[in-house]
Amino acid sequence: MQLTITGHPLPEPVVIDGAAADEGILGTGWLLTQPQAQRIVAAWAEAPTDLSPTGEDDVRRAWHYSPLGLFVTALILDGELSLSEWESAFGSEGDDRYSTTQMPFDFDIATTDD
């Protein structure tokens, strides 16, 4: 299945090929491999930011991946820090799968057949 992921702050859609339906873990959403999930997190972190009224860039986004199956995202907005995590739904040591239902972003997901 092909997923097209859109929403703020992504400047363009992120297209993921080969996503698997989550029929056994949570029963809804899609399961992504670590590289597929990383593409979404990296696109979020690299998205352009708006300037504050003073002309300064008041948004910072960063992320880190732990080989133990965890993405951590950090958002600094107007001096306030917000941390989120995206833990693997199952798997380990490079075979992790991440559920889109647990994704720390409010993105829209559209599907098309491969």
Side-chain angles (χ1 to χ4, degrees):
M1 188 65 63
Q2 184 180 71
L3 304 180
T4 301
I5 299 167
T6 58
H8 181 75
L10 301 176
E12 56 189 50
V14 176
V15 177
I16 303 291
D17 291 313
D22 181 355
E23 297 172 345
I25 304 299
L26 298 173
T28 60
W30 305 95
L31 294 174
L32 307 177
T33 65
Q34 185 270 328
Q36 291 170 326
Q38 184 169 324
R39 287 189 52 222
I40 297 167
V41 173
W44 169 83
E46 296 166 3
T49 59
D50 295 327
L51 298 179
S52 71
T54 63
E56 297 177 11
D57 187 356
D58 63 345
V59 176
R60 299 277 186 270
R61 297 184 199 99
W63 65 276
H64 177 76
Y65 172 73
S66 166
L68 297 175
L70 182 69
F71 286 95
V72 176
T73 62
L75 172 66
I76 300 174
L77 178 62
D78 296 328
E80 297 290 325
L81 174 65
S82 175
L83 298 174
S84 297
E85 63 182 46
W86 191 5
E87 187 175 1
S88 66
F90 74 93
S92 65
E93 299 179 19
D95 191 34
D96 298 298
R97 295 295 182 267
Y98 297 83
S99 174
T100 57
T101 59
Q102 296 173 322
M103 185 169 47
F105 313 112
D106 189 22
F107 293 148
D108 296 317
I109 301 174
T111 62
T112 56
D113 290 332
D114 284 333

